[in-house]
């Protein structure tokens, strides 16, 4: 019904540095608004990143190539996570 696009989780690492990823999971509702005459579901695209905590995470929503900014309605932080990132 809509398009999806996988985006890479890229991080340039420096030798002798250690990296951690700190994030949070949220549950809630968001609203987006568009000022257009004719909405087309084919122009809506959800971008997601694979591999964060072995899950797919939605990172952006765009319409016709333009990133939409959410208007937060009501969110609840479900959990926090901290991951050690290793590069081999």
């Amino acid at each position: 019904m809509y398009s999806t696009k996988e985006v890479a989780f890229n991080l340039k690492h420096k030798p002798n540095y250690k990296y951690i990823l700190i994030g949070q999971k949220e549950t809630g509702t968001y609203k987006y608004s568009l000022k257009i005459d004719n909405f087309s579901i084919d122009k809506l695209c959800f971008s997601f990143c694979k591999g964060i905590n072995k899950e797919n995470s939605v990172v952006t929503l765009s319409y016709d190539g333009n990133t939409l900014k959410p208007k937060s309605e009501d969110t609840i932080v479900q959990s926090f996570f901290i991951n050690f990132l290793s590069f081999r």
Side-chain angles (χ1 to χ4, degrees):
M1 180 155 61
Y2 49 82
S3 299
T4 59
K5 176 175 74 170
E6 184 178 346
V7 293
F9 177 69
N10 290 327
L11 179 67
K12 289 185 179 182
H13 67 281
K14 297 179 182 178
N16 301 319
Y17 278 71
K18 296 189 189 271
Y19 294 88
I20 59 172
L21 173 68
I22 301 172
Q24 67 186 34
K25 289 186 179 182
E26 295 181 355
T27 299
T29 58
Y30 292 89
K31 287 185 179 179
Y32 297 84
S33 64
L34 293 168
K35 293 184 180 184
I36 56 172
D37 293 328
N38 296 314
F39 177 80
S40 171
I41 194 76
D42 295 329
K43 294 181 180 181
L44 189 64
C45 182
F46 290 85
S47 297
F48 66 94
C49 181
K50 281 187 169 184
I52 299 174
N53 285 339
K54 299 179 182 165
E55 298 177 1
N56 292 341
S57 301
V58 174
V59 290
T60 59
L61 176 62
S62 59
Y63 184 81
D64 200 19
N66 298 306
T67 301
L68 302 177
K69 303 235 186 259
K71 297 178 180 183
S72 180
E73 282 290 304
D74 185 22
T75 60
I76 297 171
V77 175
Q78 286 187 321
S79 63
F80 291 93
F81 60 87
I82 300 173
N83 291 43
F84 174 73
L85 303 177
S86 62
F87 300 94
R88 296 172 196 228

